[in-house]
């Protein structure tokens, strides 16, 4: 992803994907997953050139939230309020647990509400939190994740279709 800068490092990116008024909500999960996969693959190229970051975690959740502009003059920013944005952040934070228990790799992490809305087949893995594991304010004991790979033929087919 070329943004015309020599080097930019960020530790968080918050994205809200929503339909324009009157558009169907079908397909938003697929769109969010495709964006997340593309971001991870672009990060791979960035990492080959610059050596950082090792791995990123992307949390995705679905539902309704309030979207608006907040803040004082000169420091206004777009934001999304409600359960959904916080849930995305909490799902993203489970990446630390997955890295500790599994491997240090890029992941797109989501809950059952997103899993049930998937239309195209995907190589989804499940992680069940152990008794001593937990994420603050996340009631789920199971999370689902994808580990995008540059050579994933099914991903390429989904992007072309």
């Amino acid at each position: 992803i070329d943004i015309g800068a020599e080097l930019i490092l960020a530790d968080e990116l918050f994205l809200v994907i929503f339909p324009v008024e009157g558009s169907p909500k079908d397909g938003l999960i697929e769109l969010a997953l495709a964006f997340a996969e593309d971001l991870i693959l672009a990060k791979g190229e960035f990492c080959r050139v610059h050596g950082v970051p090792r791995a990123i975690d992307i949390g995705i959740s679905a539902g309704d939230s309030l979207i608006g502009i907040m803040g004082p003059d000169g420091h206004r920013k777009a934001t999304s309020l409600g359960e959904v944005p916080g849930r995305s952040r909490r799902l993203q934070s489970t990446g630390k647990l997955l890295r500790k228990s599994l491997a240090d790799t890029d992941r797109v992490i989501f809950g059952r509400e997103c899993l049930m809305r998937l239309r195209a087949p995907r190589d989804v893995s499940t992680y069940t939190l152990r008794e001593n594991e937990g994420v603050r304010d996340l009631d789920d004991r199971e999370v689902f994740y994808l580990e995008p790979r540059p050579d994933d033929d099914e991903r390429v087919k989904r992007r072309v279709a």
Side-chain angles (χ1 to χ4, degrees):
I1 301 172
D2 182 9
I3 57 172
E6 285 205 27
L7 178 63
I8 292 180
L9 292 178
D11 65 351
E12 289 189 13
L13 171 66
F14 184 77
L15 213 63
V16 177
I17 298 176
F18 59 93
V20 293
E21 192 170 334
S23 297
K25 293 180 183 179
D26 291 351
L28 289 180
I29 297 298
E30 298 290 339
L31 182 63
L33 288 174
F35 176 83
E37 289 174 322
D38 288 350
L39 181 64
I40 284 174
L41 296 176
K43 188 249 17 165
E45 181 60 33
F46 183 89
C47 188
R48 279 186 283 287
V49 173
H50 299 287
V52 293
R54 284 193 337 239
I56 60 173
D57 307 308
I58 299 174
I60 295 179
S61 62
D64 295 324
S65 67
L66 181 63
I67 300 172
I69 305 291
M70 293 180 60
D73 289 340
H75 191 68
R76 299 182 68 70
K77 64 179 189 172
T79 192
S80 178
L81 302 173
E83 171 61 24
V84 174
R87 181 169 169 67
S88 295
R89 178 69 174 107
R90 291 186 294 275
L91 287 163
Q92 180 266 334
S93 69
T94 64
K96 293 176 185 142
L97 294 173
L98 295 173
R99 243 186 257 129
K100 184 178 175 183
S101 297
L102 303 174
D104 195 20
T105 190
D106 302 308
R107 290 187 182 88
V108 181
I109 307 163
F110 47 94
R112 186 168 301 280
E113 81 283 358
C114 290
L115 178 69
M116 302 313 291
R117 293 182 186 182
L118 292 180
R119 297 186 301 185
R122 293 182 176 271
D123 188 18
V124 176
S125 298
T126 304
Y127 182 80
T128 303
L129 278 71
R130 298 183 187 114
E131 191 63 38
N132 63 337
E133 292 178 322
V135 175
R136 186 175 58 90
D137 298 328
L138 183 68
D139 294 331
D140 303 51
R141 298 307 302 164
E142 275 187 332
V143 295
F144 306 92
Y145 63 93
L146 299 170
E147 295 176 348
R149 303 269 189 266
D151 57 348
D152 180 0
D153 292 336
E154 288 302 314
R155 184 190 70 80
V156 172
K157 287 179 196 172
R158 283 191 302 272
R159 297 299 288 157
V160 172

